[in-house]
Amino acid sequence: MTFSLVHSRALSGMDAPPVEVETHLANGLPAFNIVGLPDTEVKESRDRVRAAIVQSGFDFPAKKITVNLAPADLPKESGRFDLPIALGILAASGQVDAAKLTDYEFAGELALSGLLRPIRGALAMAWQAGRAQRGFILPTANATQAAAIAEAEVYGADSLGAVAAHLNGVTALPRTPHQTADKTEHADAALPDLKDVKGQHTARLVLELAAAGGHSLLMMGPPGTGKSMLAQRLPSILPPLTDEERMEVWALRSLLPQYMNNLSSHRPFRAPHHSASSVALIGGGHCDIQNNLTQIRNR
């Protein structure tokens, strides 16, 4: 077999569009090319994948290797494609059972030793993989976070060899049990509460109307009149997040590098400085601003 197909996912904001990692082995001078709008981080995966395959005890094929990340018009970034690229090469060279690849999606950055390193946006990808009714194999460090999605079938792996052994039926990877945050956390946590506000009867009434009806609210006035203080207490009178809303919040937070397993059911609140520009608030570049504004209007 000289061709293989591995399912993975990219990141586009909080969305995780599907990516098909196609691998083809051909006769000719040995070469390793990656096409499909890869970023520099993805192009550098050639050296990581080669070393990881050899260090894991497999043979790196001395052929002309072409890896296509489809769709070609979707930008691909970060090292999350290391694992699917390596599995594609192993499947195309007959070292991994290619028939098992259709049941799973893969993401993970490879070390030169073949170990798997954690990635960013694991929860967002697991959410979409669950909707596609496929299992999701990723580094063990991200497995607990991704298992917060009830409909996702998550498997954590420590190395490329462990994933290959699972696909070949040698040693099965244990499924990570589903875990979720306590839904009562919203009510029990010590958050700023609207009941602490003395006076401000009109402003409090407006906050209650906005919270009850789901309306937008614009507060204007000179400094020191209590705008920030009131805004901080608006989440205290909002209903708890629904399951769908909680998944969206967790998927968005999982895009942050420092956010790993700290799942919170609180409604998100951000207090940017009054001098922050529109670019600082909603992203940089004309196209990014227009896209983000369009998404905000559509909500």
Side-chain angles (χ1 to χ4, degrees), residues 181-189 191 211-212 233-250 253 264-268:
D182 187 4
K183 294 184 179 181
T184 63
E185 179 185 2
H186 176 86
D188 297 336
L191 296 176
R233 285 158 174 77
L234 178 60
S236 69
I237 60 174
L238 292 173
L241 292 170
T242 64
D243 292 341
E244 187 74 11
E245 290 172 338
R246 188 164 55 252
M247 291 301 102
E248 290 185 7
V249 171
W250 288 352
R253 288 175 177 170
S264 173
S265 296
H266 298 315
R267 284 194 173 272

Side-chain angles (χ1 to χ4, degrees), residues 126-127 129-131 133-134 148-153 175 178 244 247:
W127 186 21
R131 290 186 168 185
Q133 297 183 347
R134 280 193 289 261
I149 308 298
E151 62 269 22
E153 185 178 337
R175 179 174 176 178
H178 168 62
E244 187 74 11
M247 291 301 102

Side-chain angles (χ1 to χ4, degrees), residues 212-298:
H215 305 299
S216 300
L217 179 62
L218 174 64
M219 290 186 284
M220 302 177 62
T225 55
K227 300 185 300 298
S228 299
M229 179 267 296
L230 290 167
Q232 291 173 355
R233 285 158 174 77
L234 178 60
S236 69
I237 60 174
L238 292 173
L241 292 170
T242 64
D243 292 341
E244 187 74 11
E245 290 172 338
R246 188 164 55 252
M247 291 301 102
E248 290 185 7
V249 171
W250 288 352
L252 186 60
R253 288 175 177 170
S254 73
L255 302 179
L256 302 176
Q258 69 272 19
Y259 181 82
M260 294 297 294
N261 298 322
N262 184 21
L263 301 179
S264 173
S265 296
H266 298 315
R267 284 194 173 272
F269 174 78
R270 294 294 180 267
H273 195 263
H274 64 85
S275 63
S277 64
S278 59
V279 174
L281 289 173
I282 59 177
H286 177 73
C287 293
D288 288 343
I289 292 177
Q290 294 298 325
N291 292 336
N292 291 334
L293 287 176
T294 301
Q295 293 179 6
I296 291 173
R297 294 192 190 102
N298 292 337

Side-chain angles (χ1 to χ4, degrees), residues 16-243:
V19 173
E20 294 183 349
V21 181
E22 301 172 330
T23 304
H24 179 256
L25 305 183
N27 295 326
L29 295 175
F32 190 175
N33 298 313
I34 300 178
V35 298
L37 208 57
D39 199 356
T40 303
E41 296 168 321
V42 181
K43 293 179 181 179
E44 291 176 347
S45 68
R46 293 177 294 186
D47 299 317
R48 294 193 297 269
V49 167
R50 181 184 288 107
I53 288 178
V54 174
Q55 290 297 321
S56 299
F58 298 101
D59 295 327
F60 191 83
K63 293 180 176 292
K64 183 178 180 181
I65 304 173
T66 303
V67 176
N68 178 40
L69 306 176
D73 58 347
L74 178 67
K76 321 298 188 308
E77 49 85 22
S78 91
R80 71 176 60 87
F81 296 106
D82 289 1
L83 178 60
I85 290 174
L87 292 175
I89 294 174
L90 294 177
S93 59
Q95 301 179 76
V96 163
D97 187 1
K100 297 291 185 62
L101 295 175
T102 57
D103 299 330
Y104 301 96
E105 296 184 4
F106 305 87
E109 179 181 339
L110 285 171
L112 298 183
S113 60
L115 296 178
L116 286 172
R117 289 174 172 158
I119 56 175
R120 181 173 57 89
L123 197 147
M125 291 185 286
W127 186 21
Q128 299 298 330
R131 290 186 168 185
Q133 297 183 347
R134 280 193 289 261
F136 189 43
I137 297 179
L138 75 169
T140 303
N142 298 115
T144 302
Q145 180 195 67
I149 308 298
E151 62 269 22
E153 185 178 337
V154 178
Y155 299 88
D158 294 322
S159 64
L160 173 62
V163 178
H166 175 79
L167 296 174
N168 288 332
V170 177
T171 304
L173 292 173
R175 179 174 176 178
T176 305
H178 168 62
Q179 297 179 358
T180 185
D182 187 4
K183 294 184 179 181
T184 63
E185 179 185 2
H186 176 86
D188 297 336
L191 296 176
D193 200 312
L194 190 62
K195 68 180 181 181
D196 300 329
V197 178
K198 306 300 181 183
Q200 299 278 14
H201 301 292
T202 302
R204 292 180 57 177
L205 176 61
V206 172
L207 286 178
E208 293 168 0
L209 292 175
H215 305 299
S216 300
L217 179 62
L218 174 64
M219 290 186 284
M220 302 177 62
T225 55
K227 300 185 300 298
S228 299
M229 179 267 296
L230 290 167
Q232 291 173 355
R233 285 158 174 77
L234 178 60
S236 69
I237 60 174
L238 292 173
L241 292 170
T242 64
D243 292 341

